[in-house]
Amino acid sequence: APPLPAEGEEAAGVPPAKRLKTDGAPVPPAPPSATPMPPPGLPAPPGMAVAPSQNETLSESDFIATLPNPDEVPICIRVPHDPSNVGWNFNGQTIDIIIKATTKIKDLKGMLKDQLGGMPTNKMQLKHPSTGFMNKDGLSLAHFNVGPMTTLDLVPKTRGGRK
C-alpha cells in the first residue's frame, strides 16, 4: 500500500472524497433522518421512534369496534383458475359475500362449498393479503382483521412435496 501523505500534503490522484480529513476539524454528526433504523426483530434504541409494522393486527374486539356495521361486512373471495379440478368451479372468478365480522372461518368455508361445486372445506385455505394464511377454522374473521372490501385468496390444499 502506498504511504499516506504527510499532514498538509494532498494525495496525488486520490479524489477529495477518498482523502483522509487531516485539518483537525471535528466531523459533524449525521442528521437525525440519516440514522438507520434497527433491523426488523430488534428493539429500537431509546428515544427512536418505531415505525408500526404492517403485520400488526388489532384484537378481535378492538377491530369490531372500528367497523361501521359489524353485522354486514362485504368481502371478496378470489378463486384461482385451475381447470385440472373439473368438479370444482375454479374458473378464476371472484365471489362477493356479505358476512358478519364474528363469522368463523369454518362457517365461511361452508358458504363457499356450494359455490365451488362441493369442494370439501378441509381442502380450502384462505389467504389474507397482509397476514397470510388463515389456518385456524375456529377463529373469526375479526380475529384476522378482515374488514370491508378485503379480498381473500382461496388456495386449494395440496398433499405431498416434490414429485
Side-chain angles (χ1 to χ4, degrees), residues 59-140:
S59 72
E60 189 172 354
S61 56
D62 290 345
F63 181 74
I64 290 174
T66 65
L67 296 174
N69 187 358
D71 291 337
E72 292 183 9
V73 179
I75 62 170
C76 302
I77 310 292
R78 193 174 344 176
V79 179
H81 179 72
D82 185 8
S84 65
N85 289 320
V86 179
W88 303 338
N89 298 332
F90 282 7
N91 303 322
Q93 74 269 34
T94 301
I95 301 172
D96 296 325
I97 296 179
I98 296 178
I99 199 166
K100 288 185 176 186
T102 54
T103 302
K104 306 283 184 213
I105 299 295
K106 174 177 62 175
D107 299 331
L108 174 59
K109 288 180 180 181
M111 292 176 199
L112 294 174
K113 181 178 182 176
D114 297 332
Q115 298 184 31
L116 294 174
M119 178 183 188
T121 57
N122 65 341
K123 300 286 186 202
M124 296 181 197
Q125 280 184 314
L126 293 172
K127 185 176 180 186
H128 191 278
S130 61
T131 58
F133 284 103
M134 300 187 290
N135 290 330
K136 303 288 183 191
D137 284 353
L139 297 176
S140 70

